[in-house]
Amino acid sequence: MNPRPAPSPGRAAAPVPPPHGHPYAPPHGHPHPYAHGPARPPRNRPLALRLLAPAGTLAGVAAAFAYVGAVDPNEPGHYPVCPLLRFTGLYCPGCGGLRSAHAFVHGDLPTALGANALAVAGYGLFAVLIVLWLVRAVRGTPMRVDLSPAWWWGIGAVLALFTLVRNLPFGSALVP
């Protein structure tokens, strides 16, 4: 016996919440735990509060870049060695990232790309996202980056391919 009626042609069936007492059901009288939306619209919050998270994130990243720019990772003893490189001799996707950041801070883009091209692409992506986040915070629009699983698999594939190529003889240009 099928407890749910069949959906009409061309229409998807509406999701049915789990019955009361089911381990994944919300407590009786409470809203659904996966309901989205803030209790108070972001537009009503003061501008200083809306800018707190993106400005704090930007300040933290800027401080990290300032530190890496001041303390040269090319000199041994300042930063720990990558454990994967140390124990296996293989370069991970992040190997050369500190040297790349140091060169980027000093305006040497060719050296930054040579140390870790993927990291430089990440710096650009971060810049675009932080500007978008700040603009949305000023406008009072919530910032949400919802990536489908296909995007996450794609990002993982790019990281795996970058790691594989930089550890093969023909990928020596990607080695820091």
Side-chain angles (χ1 to χ4, degrees), residues 65 68-74 97-107 123:
F65 268 81
V68 172
V71 181
D72 191 357
N74 296 306
L98 288 174
R99 287 174 284 202
S100 174
H102 181 77
F104 190 81
V105 167
H106 289 279
Y123 308 152

Side-chain angles (χ1 to χ4, degrees), residues 48-140:
L49 285 178
R50 292 193 315 250
L51 289 175
L52 189 62
T57 301
L58 181 59
V61 170
F65 268 81
Y67 180 79
V68 172
V71 181
D72 191 357
N74 296 306
E75 296 177 16
H78 291 292
Y79 298 98
V81 178
C82 172
L84 185 68
L85 180 62
R86 182 179 204 175
F87 296 120
T88 67
L90 297 173
Y91 294 103
C92 75
C95 280
L98 288 174
R99 287 174 284 202
S100 174
H102 181 77
F104 190 81
V105 167
H106 289 279
D108 189 359
L109 191 58
T111 303
L113 286 167
N116 192 324
L118 198 58
V120 175
Y123 308 152
L125 180 62
F126 174 78
V128 168
L129 287 176
I130 198 71
V131 166
L132 181 63
W133 194 7
L134 286 165
V135 167
R136 285 178 165 254
V138 168
R139 291 181 179 171

